[in-house]
Amino acid sequence: MNLKLLLLSCFAAGSHAFQAPRSTTSFTRTQQIYAAPAEKVHVLPTESEVTQAVHQLVESCAKQAISKRGHFALAIPGGSVLKVLSSLDPSDDWVSKTTLCFVNHKCVDITDESSAIEAQARAKFLDRWGLTDIISLNGSS
């Protein structure tokens, strides 16, 4: 997958960023769609620049959170984010003070590497990082 565009925001414009208002009626030209502020959107020309920017952002946010609160929480989806994080070698000990949560929509066995984001993340970087504080999604039958 060739990643050409980075829409990245440390602090998105609330939980409704990039979401249209929910309505059962059709949209009219007067309805507003909420978006992140333009200064929080970064467009980078190459995949390597996106990767480097994400690495810097994660490390910077981790260090800032740990200095303020003593802990860092990271929530990640699957897809290209896993690929980008797989090449990150943490430059500090922030991983030991990090809780990771997966934000995905799949309800699958978390050990299935073909479809479970957690299994893919463990194989690509979590085990190498030594990150153990993970909030896993598990269901009930």
Side-chain angles (χ1 to χ4, degrees), residues 7 14-15 21 44 55 61 69 74 90 98 101 130 133:
L7 298 174
S15 63
L44 301 171
H55 289 182
C61 289
R69 295 182 299 276
L74 179 63
T98 298
C101 179
D133 190 5

Side-chain angles (χ1 to χ4, degrees), residues 72-77 81 85 99-103:
F72 177 51
L74 179 63
I76 61 169
V81 172
L85 291 177
T99 298
L100 178 80
C101 179
F102 298 99
V103 289

Side-chain angles (χ1 to χ4, degrees), residues 12-24:
S15 63
H16 298 291
F18 304 111
Q19 294 179 2
R22 293 179 187 215
S23 172
T24 56

Side-chain angles (χ1 to χ4, degrees), residues 78-117:
S80 59
V81 172
L82 294 180
K83 180 180 177 186
V84 167
L85 291 177
S86 71
S87 60
L88 173 63
D89 289 315
S91 64
D92 203 356
D93 189 32
W94 59 264
V95 171
S96 68
K97 298 174 181 99
T98 298
T99 298
L100 178 80
C101 179
F102 298 99
V103 289
N104 60 340
H105 62 280
K106 294 181 182 178
C107 294
V108 297
D109 179 356
I110 63 170
T111 62
D112 180 1
E113 246 183 84
S114 68
S115 60
I117 292 169

Side-chain angles (χ1 to χ4, degrees), residues 22-88:
R22 293 179 187 215
S23 172
T24 56
T25 60
S26 15
F27 284 106
T28 66
R29 291 183 185 259
T30 60
Q31 289 177 315
Q32 181 177 359
I33 296 178
Y34 301 96
E39 65 272 7
K40 299 265 185 182
V41 177
H42 305 275
V43 178
L44 301 171
T46 67
E47 183 175 348
S48 65
E49 289 177 85
V50 170
T51 298
Q52 183 179 5
V54 171
H55 289 182
Q56 290 172 352
L57 181 65
V58 169
E59 295 232 341
S60 170
C61 289
K63 290 174 187 174
Q64 182 181 15
I66 291 166
S67 73
K68 286 184 178 180
R69 295 182 299 276
H71 197 80
F72 177 51
L74 179 63
I76 61 169
S80 59
V81 172
L82 294 180
K83 180 180 177 186
V84 167
L85 291 177
S86 71
S87 60
L88 173 63

